[in-house]
């Protein structure tokens, strides 16, 4: 697991925990820390989204490699 994988995993877990707080307690930690709708909050959401896309890409590549080995 390289540094990009580790960073992406951490960011996606933190994003998931924030969504859990929103869902269970109607409390958005990112908005609370950085003001709702601020540029910093939007950048954080964008970076977490890019990390999720990176992990999705990595997962799909791993699934594709596994199918090739199954034959």
């Amino acid at each position: 697991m390289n540094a990009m994988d580790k960073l992406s995993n951490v960011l996606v877990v933190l994003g998931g925990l924030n969504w859990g707080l929103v869902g269970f307690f109607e409390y958005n930690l990112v908005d609370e820390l950085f003001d709702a709708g601020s540029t910093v909050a939007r950048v954080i959401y964008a970076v977490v989204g890019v990390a999720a896309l990176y992990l999705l890409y990595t997962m799909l590549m791993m699934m594709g490699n596994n199918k090739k080995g199954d034959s």
Side-chain angles (χ1 to χ4, degrees):
M1 187 179 258
N2 64 34
M4 183 68 159
D5 293 339
K6 290 177 185 176
L7 178 61
S8 294
N9 279 308
V10 168
L11 289 171
V12 169
V13 167
L14 291 175
L17 290 173
N18 190 57
W19 276 112
L21 288 172
V22 171
F24 289 115
F25 305 110
E26 295 181 17
Y27 181 77
N28 189 327
L29 184 61
V30 173
D31 283 351
E32 187 70 30
L33 293 174
F34 302 105
D35 294 327
S38 71
T39 302
V40 175
R42 291 183 66 204
V43 167
I44 290 170
Y45 291 132
V47 169
V48 171
V50 169
L53 289 172
Y54 173 77
L55 290 179
L56 177 63
Y57 170 79
T58 303
M59 181 184 69
L60 292 173
M61 290 299 107
M62 288 172 45
M63 288 171 56
N65 288 340
N66 285 341
K67 288 184 180 181
K68 290 178 185 175
D70 289 342
S71 305

